[in-house]
Amino acid sequence: MTKIEINGAHLAYDDTGSGTPVVLLHAGIADRRMWREQVPALAARHRVITVDLRGYGDSELPSDPFAHHDDVVGLLDALGLPRAALVGCSFGGAVAVDTALAHPGRIRALALLGTAVGGNEWSEETNDLWDDLVGETDAEDLAAGAAGEVRFWVVGPGRRPEDVDPALIRFAEEMDRGALAAELALSAVDVAELDPPAIKRLGELRVPVLVAAGAADVPDIRRLADRIAAEVPGAVRLPDVPDAGHLLPLERPDAVNPALLDFLS
């Protein structure tokens, strides 16, 4: 792990392999460790950079206003990379899309896995699912919050916890406890977002885009993948990966890694 100063904050990252650069952006319930199954596979052909977004994992969170998408480009600048492909999961996918829209000349491709998109609103169905599976939790009880979020996102509404590898659940809860602490801290910082938001600008993307989701993820995520594929010119929508929830790359690397290698080649 290395730390580098980006826009006034020290961000933690790992840099592995050589070749065309690929930056992996983690989910909002995780940190850069979620890519542990992708790094060795991709590093055989690419320079693979995993980064903890500001406030997450081992990265710092100064109180100054910032934008995650500017941090991504700041990282490219600091590493001397004119362009890179971005691979994002969930919130990391939203950051990837924002980066491609805000800095279109710097991104050569986007792979979006179980992605969110800035400005997208959750459906009443998803809100009801959250109430049914999680309910209200104390924001300061990180263990309970992480258990609830992992039940909702990683297990998913159509599976039971016993259907999922217990080691995956434990690891996801560990990462999410840190992510929830990051979210609490981030709520006190001015984080800039695109205006208009990305959900209204998908048609502006002019790079190759790959979209995938887990079949056990919440329905809104799968529908959002369909919308991206419909609105982004030339986007490729992979079939939903069976028996996979929101942390698709971590749960099903056997399906994700070959698709990424083919797309990024």
Side-chain angles (χ1 to χ4, degrees), residues 188-206:
V189 178
D190 184 7
V191 184
E193 299 178 353
L194 296 187
D195 184 18
I199 195 65
K200 298 181 179 181
R201 301 173 58 186
L202 294 172
E204 296 178 26
L205 292 170
R206 289 295 185 271

Side-chain angles (χ1 to χ4, degrees), residues 154-217:
V154 179
V155 177
R159 299 191 292 185
R160 300 168 299 173
E162 54 267 32
D163 297 329
V164 179
D165 181 356
L168 172 64
I169 291 177
R170 287 194 300 270
F171 183 44
E173 289 183 356
E174 177 196 339
M175 288 193 293
D176 196 28
R177 287 192 293 272
L180 285 170
E183 289 178 0
L184 281 174
L186 283 161
S187 66
V189 178
D190 184 7
V191 184
E193 299 178 353
L194 296 187
D195 184 18
I199 195 65
K200 298 181 179 181
R201 301 173 58 186
L202 294 172
E204 296 178 26
L205 292 170
R206 289 295 185 271
V207 295
V209 173
L210 180 74
V211 192
D217 208 337

Side-chain angles (χ1 to χ4, degrees), residues 112-115 159 210-229 236-246 248-249 251-252 254-256 259:
L112 307 172
L113 310 172
T115 195
R159 299 191 292 185
L210 180 74
V211 192
D217 208 337
V218 299
D220 270 12
I221 292 293
R222 304 199 305 274
R223 286 192 286 261
L224 188 54
D226 292 339
R227 179 172 177 177
I228 294 168
V236 175
R237 169 74 156 99
L238 296 180
D240 288 343
V241 178
D243 196 28
H246 199 52
L248 172 59
E251 186 172 11
R252 288 295 306 275
D254 57 321
V256 169

Side-chain angles (χ1 to χ4, degrees), residues 6-19:
I6 305 296
N7 301 329
H10 287 88
L11 303 190
Y13 73 100
D14 298 309
D15 192 341
T16 309
S18 61

Side-chain angles (χ1 to χ4, degrees), residues 22-46:
V22 180
V23 179
L24 309 183
L25 301 173
H26 61 80
I29 61 172
D31 55 51
R32 73 185 193 280
R33 293 177 294 165
M34 69 161 284
W35 300 108
R36 64 188 185 184
E37 301 292 340
Q38 281 66 56
V39 170
L42 296 180
R45 302 182 192 175
H46 301 277

